[in-house]
Amino acid sequence: MRRPLVAGNWKMHGSRAETARLIEELLAQAPAEPAAQSVICPPFVYLHEAWRLLRDSIFSLGAQDVCAESHGAFTGEISAAMLKDVGCEYVIVGHSERRLLYRESDQLVARKFAAAHARGLVPILCVGEQLADREAGRTSEVVTRQLDVVLELCGAGALEHGLIAYEPVWAIGTGRNATPEQAQEVHALLRARIASRDARIADATRILYGGSVKAGNAAELFAMPDVDGGLIGGASLKADEFLSILAAARISG
Ligand code: PGA
């Protein structure tokens, strides 16, 4: 049985005051015992304040990125240990915005996954194809390659304490979500790929869908057998919308 998880990726939005206000709204409206776990990922500089406000609530804290190195002369970078130190339990790695805008390679993403895992953070590994890949019939090839590099470096065992988020790049921030069937097809493929190494871990690994998830489409996406929740961008910046999405995630599988 996989408990679903809904994570909010706030990206580079908000201010101190807006972060506090959004968290207050989430806390005020949050259900006492949601079926799904929930994680919010504010910008780095607001993490500690967010942790202070969120601790002992239903929300866990995550970061949006992490350095692959453990410490040292890496100006501007943030280590996994630092994220733990300010209260993070989760971290997103390999978001398509990092891969595309900051040229992060599959290898670097895998090293970030390993660094997070080594420090006891739960990595959320994002994979996903661009529109041209999908149109050329290369979706399976792309997501398999992105997953395989992590499986090679870290082993399937690392996924016991990790999550995957399938986020088709053409669906992120575009309002054009994958259909439930399109999402299910890729989620099943990713799970089968993990199963080829370890069937038990494949069965237990939660695979989130991300890309234009909203209150209006979350339930049908989350109803698919291999979709175990969502990674939410734009819609996570509104408390009522995010909580409606959280409420749409039920235990299945
Ligand atoms: P979106 O973003 O929900 O705004 O499409 C998803 C993401 O980038 O994780």
Short mmCIF file of all heavy atoms in Angstrom, two decimals, residues 9 11 95-97 167 171-175 210-213 231-235, ligand 1:
data_model
loop_
_atom_site.label_atom_id
_atom_site.label_comp_id
_atom_site.label_asym_id
_atom_site.label_seq_id
_atom_site.Cartn_x
_atom_site.Cartn_y
_atom_site.Cartn_z
N ASN A 9 5.64 22.94 -4.87
CA ASN A 9 6.91 23.56 -5.26
C ASN A 9 6.64 25.04 -5.50
O ASN A 9 6.05 25.41 -6.51
CB ASN A 9 7.41 22.86 -6.54
CG ASN A 9 8.65 23.53 -7.12
OD1 ASN A 9 9.24 24.41 -6.50
ND2 ASN A 9 9.04 23.11 -8.31
N LYS A 11 8.67 27.37 -6.07
CA LYS A 11 9.62 27.99 -7.01
C LYS A 11 10.12 29.34 -6.45
O LYS A 11 10.18 29.51 -5.24
CB LYS A 11 8.99 28.11 -8.40
CG LYS A 11 8.44 26.76 -8.88
CD LYS A 11 8.09 26.71 -10.33
CE LYS A 11 7.56 25.33 -10.67
NZ LYS A 11 7.22 25.15 -12.07
N HIS A 95 14.56 18.91 -11.18
CA HIS A 95 13.40 19.56 -11.78
C HIS A 95 13.76 20.02 -13.18
O HIS A 95 14.89 20.44 -13.44
CB HIS A 95 12.97 20.76 -10.91
CG HIS A 95 11.65 21.32 -11.36
ND1 HIS A 95 11.55 22.16 -12.43
CD2 HIS A 95 10.39 21.13 -10.89
CE1 HIS A 95 10.26 22.47 -12.61
NE2 HIS A 95 9.54 21.85 -11.69
N SER A 96 12.83 19.98 -14.09
CA SER A 96 13.16 20.30 -15.50
C SER A 96 13.68 21.73 -15.64
O SER A 96 14.46 22.01 -16.55
CB SER A 96 11.95 20.08 -16.40
OG SER A 96 10.91 20.94 -16.04
N GLU A 97 13.25 22.62 -14.73
CA GLU A 97 13.80 23.99 -14.83
C GLU A 97 15.28 23.99 -14.50
O GLU A 97 16.05 24.76 -15.08
CB GLU A 97 12.99 24.93 -13.91
CG GLU A 97 11.62 25.22 -14.53
CD GLU A 97 10.50 25.51 -13.55
OE1 GLU A 97 10.77 25.84 -12.39
OE2 GLU A 97 9.33 25.37 -13.96
N GLU A 167 7.12 14.53 -14.61
CA GLU A 167 6.63 15.86 -15.00
C GLU A 167 6.95 16.11 -16.47
O GLU A 167 8.07 16.53 -16.80
CB GLU A 167 7.33 16.94 -14.16
CG GLU A 167 7.08 16.81 -12.67
CD GLU A 167 7.21 18.15 -11.97
OE1 GLU A 167 8.29 18.75 -12.05
OE2 GLU A 167 6.23 18.59 -11.38
N ALA A 171 3.90 20.13 -19.95
CA ALA A 171 2.73 20.32 -19.08
C ALA A 171 3.01 21.27 -17.92
O ALA A 171 2.10 21.66 -17.20
CB ALA A 171 2.26 18.97 -18.54
N ILE A 172 4.29 21.65 -17.74
CA ILE A 172 4.64 22.45 -16.57
C ILE A 172 4.35 23.93 -16.81
O ILE A 172 4.91 24.53 -17.73
CB ILE A 172 6.12 22.26 -16.19
CG1 ILE A 172 6.35 20.81 -15.76
CG2 ILE A 172 6.54 23.22 -15.09
CD1 ILE A 172 7.79 20.49 -15.43
N GLY A 173 3.46 24.46 -15.99
CA GLY A 173 3.15 25.89 -16.06
C GLY A 173 2.43 26.30 -17.32
O GLY A 173 2.31 27.49 -17.63
N THR A 174 1.93 25.32 -18.09
CA THR A 174 1.29 25.64 -19.37
C THR A 174 -0.22 25.57 -19.31
O THR A 174 -0.90 25.97 -20.25
CB THR A 174 1.75 24.64 -20.45
OG1 THR A 174 1.40 23.31 -20.01
CG2 THR A 174 3.24 24.72 -20.70
N GLY A 175 -0.74 24.99 -18.23
CA GLY A 175 -2.18 24.78 -18.15
C GLY A 175 -2.61 23.56 -18.92
O GLY A 175 -3.78 23.20 -18.95
N GLY A 210 3.35 15.53 -12.03
CA GLY A 210 3.40 16.99 -11.94
C GLY A 210 3.25 17.62 -13.32
O GLY A 210 3.72 17.06 -14.32
N GLY A 211 2.62 18.77 -13.35
CA GLY A 211 2.42 19.49 -14.61
C GLY A 211 0.98 19.92 -14.72
O GLY A 211 0.12 19.13 -15.09
N SER A 212 0.74 21.19 -14.33
CA SER A 212 -0.60 21.79 -14.42
C SER A 212 -1.67 21.01 -13.65
O SER A 212 -2.81 20.90 -14.09
CB SER A 212 -1.00 21.97 -15.88
OG SER A 212 -0.12 22.87 -16.53
N VAL A 213 -1.28 20.46 -12.49
CA VAL A 213 -2.30 19.85 -11.61
C VAL A 213 -3.05 20.98 -10.91
O VAL A 213 -2.44 21.93 -10.42
CB VAL A 213 -1.66 18.92 -10.55
CG1 VAL A 213 -2.75 18.33 -9.65
CG2 VAL A 213 -0.86 17.81 -11.22
N LEU A 231 3.16 16.60 -7.70
CA LEU A 231 4.08 17.71 -7.42
C LEU A 231 3.46 18.94 -8.09
O LEU A 231 3.28 18.97 -9.30
CB LEU A 231 5.47 17.40 -8.01
CG LEU A 231 6.55 18.48 -7.82
CD1 LEU A 231 6.74 18.86 -6.36
CD2 LEU A 231 7.90 17.99 -8.38
N ILE A 232 3.13 19.90 -7.25
CA ILE A 232 2.26 20.99 -7.69
C ILE A 232 3.04 22.30 -7.72
O ILE A 232 3.64 22.67 -6.70
CB ILE A 232 1.06 21.16 -6.70
CG1 ILE A 232 0.51 19.81 -6.21
CG2 ILE A 232 -0.02 22.05 -7.30
CD1 ILE A 232 -0.01 18.89 -7.29
N GLY A 233 3.01 23.00 -8.83
CA GLY A 233 3.69 24.28 -8.93
C GLY A 233 2.71 25.41 -8.66
O GLY A 233 2.37 25.71 -7.51
N GLY A 234 2.23 26.04 -9.72
CA GLY A 234 1.38 27.23 -9.60
C GLY A 234 0.25 27.09 -8.60
O GLY A 234 0.00 28.01 -7.80
N ALA A 235 -0.44 25.96 -8.63
CA ALA A 235 -1.61 25.80 -7.76
C ALA A 235 -1.25 25.63 -6.29
O ALA A 235 -2.12 25.69 -5.43
CB ALA A 235 -2.45 24.61 -8.23
P1 PGA B 1 2.88 23.55 -12.45
O1 PGA B 1 4.38 23.15 -12.07
O2 PGA B 1 1.98 22.81 -11.48
O3 PGA B 1 2.82 25.04 -12.28
O4 PGA B 1 2.65 23.10 -13.86
C1 PGA B 1 4.73 21.85 -11.68
C2 PGA B 1 6.19 21.79 -11.33
O5 PGA B 1 6.98 22.49 -11.95
O6 PGA B 1 6.59 21.04 -10.41
#
